[in-house]
């Protein structure tokens, strides 16, 4: 199991919108699929009645959708759940951002920001140009250092990132920490953005090559935070200056408000030593180019429309929303006014009753996984008891908080979008710096997360549908937007909510259980022994073997070891959600109604259709190579074929592909 730990903690400590649906920006609006008025939550138009459910349930449940929504090079991935959710979300946010504020000052500010984005002004270009001129005017390394500090004040982490992070030695407080700064650069993309900023083609190409080379030299020295032993390196300011004398740490940390005499943790000393070497050896034009790229890249969602053609060359996971003006501006509002946006959405659109209903469902799944761990005889009694205790203490952050973080009172104008953006970034950077001296509560929603729309506090990213654990506080977060249709509907039948919201919540809770190197309060505390690890590896091999045998395309197989954390969470999450449903409904779960349909069948249909995806071959190949999740077909057929309950629900014969023999069924959690 230990060989999978780093990946799991990466997903937990830096949350990505992967399980939740909106993992990449959608290129343009698409008509939502037609939901037939059956009332049972099954989209009949998505079905392929020519495919036997016991042969390939994914194709049976999703074949009609795939046929009617062919993926193309322009739209390489089209997901049914995203189309449904985006349609509902668009209606909700259009109403929120367009309705009269009626004296609600926070909503008025949010609406002004959104309107400033929609209209844009020549002032944006002028303000951007002034910053670029400042960068180009740096004539010495002293100028570069001063400019780095000024850029840091507006959230541009050119060389380093300093801020408040949880103190791993005292969990009730934060501490100042230094991390590597912005570390992504692809020469072609950098050159395209430089040309858009006015650099001649030859100059842009030369500068882009230098930026990419500098980035590559630094990125390989980055030490990820979850390698605890390597990440604990407290240093005084004097020691920092000795380690990296070219950077002028006293001036930088004074600007950030760091307290003199207070030790600061450095997660990667090797990175700072390398930075000192690069800072000394690079020419001034190369350093200016790096600052120019860091500045423009950090603003890639807010740059004037004249940059769009260049930004379109960025990879999908770095590319801002470009084609849809409404969504582009909503993303910008999330980044700039995320707390305000999340609070307004949570209170005006979602509401307390929906949140409380989701909390109640979540608690039934928590109880189910704790029961399951109690029966996991492959774990030692000590490991079972410690893991169950951790899960009892996991803080469930469902929907939205009761106590929200503070918001800024800086002016927001309808006429000056980029000025609004920079004002908000300055406020958020001051919050980040100030956090280093503040106490910490693990029940607060202020951990940093990194969905595709941009890094920020969890409480400021609740309009992004997502679910994820946070290892360092032993929390499980389900955002407000994830509690909207089609993922959750408080008025829907239990089987529908358990199949969508419940299976994702349980999936994430399996990740919490897998994070056995963290204790009930998020402290570094190994809960398992070596024999428990070996037993987990032995049980997990079944999941790996099933994935290895799955052929995505001719000659393309899954890499079971690479996808193990997500596959085992899919397998366990679906089973646990079903077990919780069965405990709720009792014998009724398999009872057929007048239409010869049972809650069990509707559960499996709803789960499968939450994964319906039309995807090009090129997109599939890229996903297999780079995505930690299996393709949609395996995420459905893999877990279901291991469940005897599925076989009973659809009366599958023993030899059917969707009915694995008992000896070949996998179960870890």
């Amino acid at each position: 199991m230990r060989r999978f730990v780093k990946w799991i903690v990466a997903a937990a400590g830096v949350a990505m919108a992967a399980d939740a649906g909106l993992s990449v920006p959608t290129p343009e609006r698409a008509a939502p699929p037609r939901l037939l008025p059956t009332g049972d939550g099954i989209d009949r138009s998505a079905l392929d009645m020519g495919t036997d459910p016991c042969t390939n349930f994914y194709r049976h449940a999703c074949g009609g959708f795939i046929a009617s929504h062919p993926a193309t090079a322009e739209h390489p991935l089209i997901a049914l759940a995203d189309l449904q959710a985006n349609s509902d979300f668009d209606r909700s946010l259009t109403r929120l951002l367009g309705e009269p504020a009626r004296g609600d000052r926070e909503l008025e500010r949010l609406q002004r920001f959104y309107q400033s984005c929609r209209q844009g002004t020549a002032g944006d270009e002028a303000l951007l140009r002034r910053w670029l001129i400042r960068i180009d005017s740096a004539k010495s390394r002293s100028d570069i250092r001063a400019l780095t500090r000024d850029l840091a004040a507006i959230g541009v982490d050119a060389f380093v990132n300093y801020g408040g992070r949880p103190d791993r030695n005292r969990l009730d407080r934060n501490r100042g920490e230094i991390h590597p700064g912005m570390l992504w650069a692809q020469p072609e993309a950098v050159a395209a953005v430089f040309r858009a900023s006015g650099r001649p083609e030859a100059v842009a190409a030369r500068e882009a090559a230098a930026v990419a080379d500098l980035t590559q030299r630094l990125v390989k020295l980055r030490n990820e935070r979850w390698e605890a032993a390597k990440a604990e390196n407290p240093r005084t300011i004097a020691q920092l200056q000795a380690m990296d004398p070219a950077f002028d740490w006293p001036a930088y940390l004074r600007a950030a408000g760091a307290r003199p005499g207070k030790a600061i943790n450095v997660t990667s000393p090797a990175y700072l030593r390398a930075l000192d070497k690069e800072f000394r050896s690079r020419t001034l034009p190369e350093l200016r180019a790096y600052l120019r790229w860091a500045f423009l890249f950090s603003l890639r969602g807010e740059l004037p429309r004249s940059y769009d053609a260049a930004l379109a060359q960025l990879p999908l996971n770095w590319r801002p929303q470009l084609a849809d003006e409404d969504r582009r501006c909503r993303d910008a509002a999330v980044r700039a006014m995320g707390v305000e946006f999340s609070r307004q959405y949570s209170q005006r659109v979602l509401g307390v009753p929906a949140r409380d209903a989701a909390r109640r469902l979540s608690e039934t799944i928590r109880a189910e996984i704790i029961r399951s761990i109690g029966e996991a005889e492959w774990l030692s009694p000590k490991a079972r008891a410690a893991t169950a205790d951790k899960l009892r203490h996991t803080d469930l952050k469902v929907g939205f908080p009761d106590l929200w973080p503070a918001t800024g009172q800086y002016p927001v104008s309808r006429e000056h979008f980029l000025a609004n953006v920079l004002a908000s970034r300055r406020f958020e950077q001051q919050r980040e710096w100030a956090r280093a001296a503040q106490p910490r509560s693990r029940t607060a929603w202020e951990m940093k997360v990194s969905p595709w729309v941009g890094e920020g506090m969890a409480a400021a990213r609740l309009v992004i549908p997502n679910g994820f654990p946070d290892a360092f506080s032993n929390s499980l977060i389900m955002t407000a937007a994830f509690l909207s249709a089609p993922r959750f509907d408080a008025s829907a039948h239990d089987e529908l909510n358990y199949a969508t919201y419940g299976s994702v919540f349980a999936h994430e809770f399996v990740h919490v259980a897998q994070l056995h190197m963290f204790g009930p309060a998020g402290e570094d505390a190994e809960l398992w022994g070596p024999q428990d690890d070996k037993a987990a590896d032995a049980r997990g091999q079944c999941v790996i073997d099933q994935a290895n045998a799955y052929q995505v395309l001719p000659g393309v197989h899954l890499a079971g070891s690479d996808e193990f954390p997500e596959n085992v969470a899919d397998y366990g999450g679906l089973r646990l959600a079903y077990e919780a449903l069965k405990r709720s409904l009792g014998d009724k779960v398999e009872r057929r109604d007048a239409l010869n349909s049972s809650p069990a069948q509707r559960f499996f249909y709803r789960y499968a259709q939450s994964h319906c995806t039309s995807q090009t071959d090129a997109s599939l190949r890229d996903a297999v190579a780079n995505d930690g999740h299996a393709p949609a077909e395996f995420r459905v057929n893999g877990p279901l074929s291991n469940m005897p309950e599925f076989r009973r629900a659809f009366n599958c014969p023993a030899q059917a592909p969707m009915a694995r023999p008992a000896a070949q069924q996998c179960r870890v959690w």
Side-chain angles (χ1 to χ4, degrees):
M1 179 69 76
R2 291 184 186 277
R3 65 178 182 269
F4 308 117
V5 163
K6 285 186 185 179
W7 196 98
I8 299 170
V9 181
V14 183
M16 304 300 290
D19 296 313
L22 288 181
S23 54
V24 294
T26 45
E28 63 179 28
R29 293 183 190 275
R34 185 167 57 97
L35 286 168
L36 299 188
T38 61
D40 62 4
I42 301 170
D43 184 351
R44 297 304 197 277
S45 68
L47 299 177
D48 175 8
M49 299 306 293
T51 299
D52 179 8
C54 296
T55 299
N56 187 324
F57 191 69
Y58 175 77
R59 290 287 166 177
H60 168 71
C62 300
F65 172 78
I66 295 169
S68 61
H69 293 76
T72 64
E74 186 178 3
H75 305 291
L77 186 151
I78 306 169
L80 171 61
D82 283 358
L83 296 184
Q84 293 172 331
N86 287 343
S87 177
D88 177 78
F89 198 62
D90 286 345
R91 286 192 298 269
S92 297
L93 295 192
T94 296
R95 185 173 73 250
L96 175 65
L97 296 170
E99 69 181 16
R102 291 188 172 87
D104 186 327
R105 187 168 180 271
E106 181 175 85
L107 182 57
E108 288 175 351
R109 284 166 53 82
L110 180 62
Q111 290 176 343
R112 282 201 300 273
F113 181 92
Y114 178 75
Q115 291 160 2
S116 75
C117 176
R118 287 300 309 267
Q119 62 188 44
T121 66
D124 293 346
E125 291 273 8
L127 179 56
L128 186 71
R129 184 60 50 192
R130 288 199 293 274
W131 273 98
L132 292 174
I133 289 172
R134 285 188 63 189
I135 293 171
D136 292 340
S137 300
K139 303 300 183 185
S140 67
R141 280 172 169 71
S142 178
D143 289 345
I144 294 290
R145 287 191 286 265
L147 187 55
T148 300
R149 296 193 293 272
D150 291 344
L151 288 171
I154 57 169
V156 180
D157 300 320
F159 293 109
V160 294
N161 172 291
Y162 168 77
R165 294 290 192 277
D167 189 331
R168 302 304 300 155
N169 301 305
R170 277 192 53 184
L171 296 180
D172 61 345
R173 69 182 184 187
N174 291 301
R175 65 183 176 190
E177 268 192 2
I178 295 171
H179 298 265
M182 186 279 304
L183 290 174
W184 185 89
Q186 186 184 68
E188 295 78 10
V190 178
V193 173
F194 279 3
R195 289 194 298 271
S197 73
R199 310 298 279 177
E201 185 168 353
V203 174
R206 183 174 64 251
E207 291 180 339
V211 169
D213 180 67
L214 175 54
T215 301
Q216 283 300 111
R217 289 176 183 272
L218 293 176
V219 74
K220 61 187 178 182
L221 295 171
R222 182 172 186 160
N223 171 37
E224 304 297 353
R225 288 183 65 230
W226 58 85
E227 295 184 50
K230 295 182 180 179
E232 291 294 317
N233 304 283
R235 297 287 189 273
T236 64
I237 294 177
Q239 289 172 327
L240 277 171
Q241 192 60 29
M243 184 188 305
D244 180 12
F247 196 71
D248 194 355
W249 282 104
Y252 182 93
L253 292 168
R254 249 192 332 269
R259 290 184 292 180
K262 191 75 172 176
I264 295 168
N265 190 55
V266 179
T267 58
S268 180
Y271 174 87
L272 292 192
R273 287 191 287 269
L275 178 61
D276 181 74
K277 178 180 177 181
E278 294 295 333
F279 202 92
R280 292 174 182 278
S281 62
R282 294 285 171 171
T283 66
L284 284 174
E286 289 175 330
L287 294 174
R288 288 195 297 264
Y290 191 85
L291 291 184
R292 170 184 280 263
W293 171 242
F295 174 66
L296 293 172
F297 184 71
S298 76
L299 285 170
R300 61 192 180 279
E302 285 74 41
L303 292 174
R305 298 312 296 259
S306 58
Y307 283 79
D308 280 2
L311 295 173
Q313 299 188 35
L314 295 175
L316 274 176
N317 57 324
W318 292 116
R319 188 185 310 165
Q321 177 63 253
L322 300 174
D324 188 305
E325 190 70 2
D326 285 338
R327 293 180 185 163
R328 184 181 77 89
C329 291
R330 288 171 190 168
D331 288 355
V334 170
R335 285 186 287 267
M337 303 184 73
V339 174
E340 297 94 326
F341 203 174
S342 294
R343 177 161 46 205
Q344 290 291 330
Y345 174 83
S346 298
Q347 296 175 349
R348 290 176 177 266
V349 177
L350 181 63
V352 171
R355 180 191 68 175
D356 290 350
R359 280 179 173 174
R360 289 191 293 271
L361 187 151
S362 302
E363 287 291 358
T364 68
I365 293 177
R366 186 213 298 259
E368 197 60 48
I369 191 171
I370 290 173
R371 272 191 293 269
S372 177
I373 287 170
E375 299 167 358
E377 294 186 357
W378 55 273
L379 279 174
S380 66
K382 182 179 179 180
R384 289 202 300 271
T387 304
D389 181 63
K390 172 182 176 171
L391 299 187
R392 288 189 191 96
H393 288 89
T394 300
D395 187 44
L396 303 188
K397 294 178 168 68
V398 176
F400 55 91
D402 293 313
L403 182 64
W404 292 84
T407 54
Q409 300 304 312
Y410 49 85
V412 176
S413 165
R414 285 185 175 85
E415 287 74 40
H416 300 289
F417 170 59
L418 189 55
N420 292 338
V421 168
L422 295 183
S424 73
R425 289 170 67 117
R426 194 175 294 277
F427 171 80
E428 290 299 331
Q429 189 60 57
Q430 290 296 325
R431 186 208 304 271
E432 173 66 17
W433 284 341
R435 185 181 287 120
Q438 293 173 349
R440 171 179 177 258
S441 168
R442 77 179 191 91
T443 59
W445 293 54
E446 296 191 20
M447 65 280 295
K448 300 293 284 294
V449 300
S450 297
W452 63 262
V453 77
E455 184 182 79
M457 291 187 300
R461 298 295 183 265
L462 299 182
V463 297
I464 300 172
N466 202 1
F468 51 90
D470 178 69
F472 306 116
S473 63
N474 186 27
S475 299
L476 201 165
I477 300 97
M478 302 296 290
T479 66
F482 200 86
L483 273 60
S484 63
R487 299 180 179 95
F488 185 83
D489 180 351
S491 64
H493 292 298
D494 283 353
E495 59 266 26
L496 305 182
N497 286 328
Y498 275 99
T500 49
Y501 174 90
S503 66
V504 173
F505 178 88
H507 172 113
E508 300 303 336
F509 226 140
V510 168
H511 282 323
V512 176
Q514 289 173 294
L515 292 166
H516 53 81
M517 67 297 303
F518 295 93
E523 73 277 21
D524 299 320
E526 179 55 71
L527 307 181
W528 293 9
Q531 293 305 312
D532 298 307
D533 272 320
K534 290 180 181 178
D537 285 345
R539 293 183 74 86
Q541 190 61 46
C542 175
V543 178
I544 293 173
D545 292 342
Q546 286 187 5
N548 286 340
Y550 179 73
Q551 186 170 238
V552 183
L553 295 166
V556 179
H557 288 260
L558 296 184
S561 292
D562 294 344
E563 294 169 350
F564 174 82
E566 295 300 337
N567 287 342
V568 79
D570 278 344
Y571 282 37
L574 182 63
R575 189 191 69 79
L576 290 163
Y578 185 83
E579 289 294 327
L581 171 67
K582 187 166 65 174
R583 196 170 297 275
S584 172
L585 296 183
D587 293 342
K588 292 187 294 183
V589 72
E590 294 184 355
R591 190 177 302 165
R592 305 286 180 106
D593 58 21
L595 298 177
N596 200 32
S597 174
S598 69
Q601 288 179 325
R602 293 190 290 273
F603 173 91
F604 293 123
Y605 271 118
R606 191 66 168 164
Y607 172 78
Q609 292 192 338
S610 72
H611 288 285
C612 289
T613 303
S614 178
Q615 198 167 4
T616 63
D617 288 356
S619 176
L620 266 173
R621 291 177 188 275
D622 181 68
V624 170
N626 300 305
D627 191 346
H629 301 81
E633 184 166 341
F634 186 80
R635 296 190 74 177
V636 173
N637 290 347
L640 293 186
S641 65
N642 285 276
M643 291 182 65
E645 297 88 348
F646 174 81
R647 176 184 173 185
R648 286 200 305 270
F650 290 92
N651 296 319
C652 295
Q655 69 276 14
M658 289 297 300
R660 293 183 187 273
Q664 297 176 18
Q665 292 171 11
C666 300
R667 175 175 170 178
V668 179
W669 300 102

